[in-house]
Amino acid sequence: MTQPIVNLQDHEHAAQAALSEAAWAYFSGGAADEITLRHNVAAWQSLRLSPRVLQDLRGGHTRCRLLGREWPMPLLVAPMAYQRWAHADGESGMALAAAAQGCGMVLSHQTSTPLHDVAALVASDGERGPLWFQLYWLTDRGALRELLAQVEAAGFEALVLTVDAPVHGVRDRERRQGMPLPEGVKAAHWKAPDNSPTKTHAQGLCAGLTDAAPTWADVQWLIGQTRLPVLLKGIIHPQDAVQALNLGAAGVIVSNHGGRVLDTLPATAELLPRIVQAVRQHHPQAPVLVDGGIRRGTDLFKALALGADAALIGRPALYGLAHAGARGAAHVLRLLRDEFEATMALTGCAHLQDIDRDRLWPLQPV
């Protein structure tokens, strides 16, 4: 008899059974020995809660504010490439699932569904969460301007520039399997850089690929090219967070790329407090978000207790999509939402403002 799916681990097992070995390696794998991949999860689990009892919970809710707007829930789906490789519903199904649960979505630059199609499904939904678009840096600034125009016209509300992957991570599982995208699945808005010998420098790092890596000057240029707020994703150092905000970024996302790029980095739960401290000192109104390793509603609660304004969930939502389409992704987000609300009630927090470090068993000083 098949056991009912009642948590995110169950969804992961169902996804592994549904996906090909190559797809499973791509979506679930991490860099090198996958130490950071595992530690992201373990670090949230190691934090202990410190509830208060007999608190007044009347009128409680999960509404949050990001970039000047109120949203139903402090949870977004992280950007993930090629979702139609996981399931035919793809990014459209993921967007509908997020909207149905009051969660936000960050659409990947490497989306396998055109950005206009995804936005058209949910942009007018008043009960959804934020609708943002992720960017990787393009050296062709003309092409980048064209993409920005499409993103703005489609109704996306912010840009998320991923800054922690100037080159591809060393992912052993993926290299063993290759990346054989199925027929009809491709990135709708992505053109891979030309890595031919005539375009690279044999003496440069990574065959010259790093010559095209973005810099702070490129970030400043990007911010000046769009009317949308720009958040930087992949921030792991407090000084980088402050510099991003000094240049005009609207916020930062603490992320180690889900352990997919550089192994043996600290977990995001470990990185978050120092970055929050630096941002609150220099830019107290700027939002700080976090992703990596969140598998329970208690993990989302802990992220907010450490100072995050919201969190992003990646692989688990993809796993729900992989074996059950949009309904599976929606169930993952519903589970997280239900667990988060139960955690709020059981720790004596009626509103997000009540969630602070006092609800965590005493930590070492930041």
Side-chain angles (χ1 to χ4, degrees), residues 28-42:
S28 70
D33 298 309
E34 301 185 344
I35 294 167
T36 298
L37 175 65
R38 294 189 296 273
H39 192 45
N40 269 350
V41 177

Side-chain angles (χ1 to χ4, degrees), residues 41-74:
V41 177
W44 295 115
Q45 293 173 339
S46 70
L47 296 173
R48 300 291 180 255
L49 297 173
S50 182
R52 298 290 306 277
V53 298
L54 301 175
Q55 303 299 297
D56 187 353
L57 300 176
R58 290 172 295 181
H61 60 76
T62 63
R63 292 191 294 274
C64 68
R65 291 192 69 82
L66 288 174
L67 303 181
R69 294 180 60 179
E70 187 173 84
W71 305 103
M73 181 76 181

Side-chain angles (χ1 to χ4, degrees), residues 50-361:
S50 182
R52 298 290 306 277
V53 298
L54 301 175
Q55 303 299 297
D56 187 353
L57 300 176
R58 290 172 295 181
H61 60 76
T62 63
R63 292 191 294 274
C64 68
R65 291 192 69 82
L66 288 174
L67 303 181
R69 294 180 60 179
E70 187 173 84
W71 305 103
M73 181 76 181
L75 183 68
L76 299 87
V77 176
M80 294 173 285
Y82 304 114
Q83 292 179 30
R84 289 186 57 238
W85 190 12
H87 191 278
D89 287 355
E91 290 84 1
S92 295
M94 187 69 79
L96 290 170
Q101 299 305 323
C103 298
M105 179 170 176
V106 185
L107 184 66
S108 171
H109 192 155
Q110 294 175 292
T111 173
S112 52
T113 307
L115 65 88
H116 312 85
D117 295 346
V118 176
L121 288 171
V122 299
S124 62
D125 186 344
E127 299 302 316
R128 64 169 172 83
L131 181 62
W132 298 349
F133 187 85
Q134 178 225 20
L135 283 175
Y136 282 104
W137 179 252
L138 297 178
T139 54
D140 183 342
R141 291 190 172 187
L144 187 51
R145 287 192 191 96
E146 291 179 10
L147 180 59
L148 292 175
Q150 292 182 59
V151 170
E152 292 179 6
F156 289 86
E157 296 142 344
L159 296 169
V160 174
L161 178 65
T162 293
V163 296
D164 62 349
V167 297
H168 199 280
V170 178
R171 300 201 282 267
D172 293 354
R173 279 201 273 165
E174 187 177 316
R175 292 192 296 175
R176 290 190 183 101
Q177 293 291 334
M179 192 178 162
L181 287 173
E183 184 72 26
V185 175
K186 63 179 182 178
H189 304 283
W190 175 259
K191 181 181 179 181
D194 187 348
N195 297 333
S196 63
T198 58
K199 298 292 184 180
T200 59
H201 307 286
Q203 300 304 314
L205 290 174
C206 302
L209 290 177
T210 53
D211 289 359
T215 66
W216 288 111
D218 294 314
V219 170
Q220 192 166 28
W221 176 87
L222 175 66
I223 291 171
Q225 298 300 308
T226 178
R227 61 178 175 79
L228 298 179
V230 177
L231 299 92
L232 267 57
K233 181 177 184 292
I235 298 297
I236 62 173
H237 197 288
Q239 292 180 15
D240 288 342
V242 173
Q243 186 164 356
L245 298 169
N246 287 345
L247 289 177
V252 297
I253 301 176
V254 180
S255 174
N256 54 31
H257 217 106
R260 290 174 64 82
V261 173
L262 181 62
D263 202 16
T264 69
L265 289 175
T268 49
E270 297 170 322
L271 295 165
L272 180 61
R274 292 178 64 217
I275 294 175
V276 167
Q277 183 181 59
V279 169
R280 297 293 172 253
Q281 180 179 351
H282 297 279
H283 296 272
Q285 301 306 312
V288 177
L289 291 80
V290 65
D291 73 4
I294 290 175
R295 298 294 184 270
R296 286 283 186 178
T298 46
D299 298 338
L300 175 58
F301 182 94
K302 293 168 186 177
L304 271 59
L306 290 177
D309 294 284
L312 298 89
I313 186 82
R315 289 182 180 92
L318 190 286
Y319 296 152
L321 181 78
H323 77 90
R327 292 180 63 187
H331 189 240
V332 166
L333 298 172
R334 183 75 244 179
L335 286 171
L336 281 172
R337 181 165 190 163
D338 289 347
E339 291 180 6
F340 178 65
E341 292 189 19
T343 304
M344 287 180 64
L346 292 169
T347 55
C349 297
H351 308 98
L352 301 190
Q353 303 93 291
D354 301 328
I355 305 173
D356 58 20
R357 288 174 72 93
D358 188 54
R359 293 308 200 277
L360 296 178
W361 192 253

